């Protein structure tokens, strides 16, 4: 009788087991694969945007400084000769900066759900894929070229290409907050400045015969971003930016699926 009850209890709870698993927390220490892939995507997408408009969609420090320079330009020289033009490059930097912040603000929802919840990581990464897909479609419809000849003549100029820039930047903003909340050696998976500083000052940097997580994972981040930028430029040179962004969508979907297989935290 007891065995029958146990079987019934087990069968009634089994449909919920996978959902319970999805609502569990991942172990950040076991998230090296997806986070390295995030770094790859940073380099990949930045290569596409920089090749077209000389804007780093993930590195907002430069865009912010560029806007400050644009404002300072308004006060240069005699009043009658001042350059009061809102240059296209400055417009694109502002577009990227605002869109990145909007993407990063999605992290507020993740904080409410739980930043380590598997459901949130899957949803957040899927959102990145959808934003990247929107970027691919809008750029394809824009008819713009993939590579700019000179800095003062970007190849993306119409409204649809601005939307492309916005979608790419927003996707990286979402990626950055997901990476930051996991609180690993990969940081935000977006900006390498902090990683470079910490790597160069790591007291165990040259202990090459030892496994040093604080050093090794930072090296993974650096190498992954480099490979991503190389791959992004190579693919857009062969296939064009819309196709390269389409490939990026596929990679993002693979990262989304990978969160299902990341180990969870052990019960204390």
């Amino acid at each position: 009788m007891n065995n029958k009850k146990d079987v019934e209890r087990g069968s009634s709870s089994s449909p919920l087991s996978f959902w319970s698993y999805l609502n569990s927390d991942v172990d950040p220490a076991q998230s090296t694969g997806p986070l390295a892939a995030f770094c790859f995507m940073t380099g990949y997408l930045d290569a596409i945007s920089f090749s077209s408009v000389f804007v780093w969609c993930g590195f907002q420090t430069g865009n912010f400084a560029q806007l400050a320079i644009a404002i300072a330009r308004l006060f240069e020289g005699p009043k009658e000769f001042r350059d009061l033009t809102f240059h296209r490059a400055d417009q694109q930097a502002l577009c990227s900066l605002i869109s990145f912040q909007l993407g990063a603000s999605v992290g507020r929802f993740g904080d409410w759900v739980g930043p380590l919840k598997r459901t949130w990581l899957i949803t957040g990464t899927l959102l990145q894929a959808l934003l990247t897909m929107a970027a691919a479609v809008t750029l394809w419809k824009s008819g713009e070229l993939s590579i700019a000849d000179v800095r003062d003549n970007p190849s993306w100029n119409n409204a649809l290409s601005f939307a492309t820039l916005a979608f790419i930047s927003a996707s990286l903003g979402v990626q950055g907050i997901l990476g930051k909340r996991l609180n690993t050696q990969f940081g935000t998976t977006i900006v390498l400045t902090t990683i470079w500083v910490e790597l160069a000052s790591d007291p165990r940097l040259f202990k090459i015969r030892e496994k040093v997580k604080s050093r090794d994972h930072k090296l993974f981040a650096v190498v992954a971003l480099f490979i991503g930028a190389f791959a992004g430029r190579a693919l857009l040179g062969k296939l064009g930016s819309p196709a390269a962004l389409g490939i990026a969508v596929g990679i993002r979907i693979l990262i989304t699926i990978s969160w299902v297989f990341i180990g969870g935290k052990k019960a204390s």
Side-chain angles (χ1 to χ4, degrees), residues 7-258:
V7 170
E8 290 176 349
R9 189 182 299 114
S11 61
S12 63
S13 63
S14 58
L16 300 176
S17 59
F18 185 64
W19 178 246
S20 299
Y21 174 74
L22 290 179
N23 278 286
S24 63
D25 288 356
V26 302
D27 184 0
Q30 300 184 51
S31 303
T32 302
L35 292 176
F38 275 177
C39 292
F40 175 91
M41 292 309 302
T42 298
Y44 188 99
L45 294 174
D46 272 326
I48 294 174
S49 64
F50 187 80
S51 296
S52 302
V53 294
F54 303 99
V55 168
W56 305 106
C57 286
F59 308 143
Q60 297 303 325
T61 302
N63 294 334
F64 192 59
Q66 182 177 333
L67 293 174
I69 294 170
I71 295 173
R73 194 188 305 123
L74 301 176
F75 304 97
E76 291 179 354
K79 288 186 178 180
E80 59 272 19
F81 296 109
R82 287 177 182 172
D83 183 4
L84 303 180
T85 306
F86 190 18
H87 293 274
R88 182 55 54 86
D90 301 329
Q91 296 174 22
Q92 291 165 333
L94 180 60
C95 174
S96 178
L97 177 62
I98 293 174
S99 302
F100 184 92
Q101 299 301 332
L102 290 174
S105 67
V106 173
R108 294 177 179 274
F109 180 74
D111 291 340
W112 177 69
V113 174
L116 302 183
K117 293 290 184 185
R118 205 178 304 273
T119 47
W120 164 240
L121 293 169
I122 291 172
T123 302
T125 310
L126 181 60
L127 176 59
Q128 296 168 42
L130 294 175
L131 289 168
T132 308
M133 181 185 298
V137 172
T138 53
L139 185 58
W140 172 61
K141 297 294 287 185
S142 74
E144 297 280 47
L145 299 176
S146 299
I147 300 176
D149 295 328
V150 291
R151 184 175 286 271
D152 60 351
N153 185 29
S155 61
W156 297 353
N157 289 286
N158 60 26
L160 283 176
S161 63
F162 264 81
T164 298
L165 190 64
F167 285 131
I168 295 175
S169 300
S171 76
L172 288 172
V174 178
Q175 174 186 308
I177 192 59
L178 260 67
K180 178 62 178 177
R181 289 294 189 261
L182 286 170
N183 194 29
T184 67
Q185 299 297 329
F186 288 87
T188 63
T189 72
I190 299 288
V191 182
L192 291 188
T193 304
T194 303
I195 288 179
W196 281 119
V197 171
E198 293 177 349
L199 181 62
S201 61
D202 194 312
R204 303 175 68 186
L205 176 62
F206 298 107
K207 296 184 182 295
I208 58 176
R209 296 185 178 181
E210 298 180 10
K211 291 183 178 179
V212 182
K213 181 183 292 187
S214 62
R215 175 202 63 198
D216 297 343
H217 285 193
K218 290 183 177 68
L219 287 173
F220 289 161
V222 170
V223 172
L225 192 146
F226 183 91
I227 294 173
F230 179 89
R233 176 65 191 212
L235 287 172
L236 78 88
K238 287 288 186 181
L239 306 175
S241 292
L245 286 170
I247 293 172
V249 175
I251 298 173
R252 288 235 188 256
I253 291 175
L254 290 176
I255 301 172
T256 301
I257 296 171
S258 73

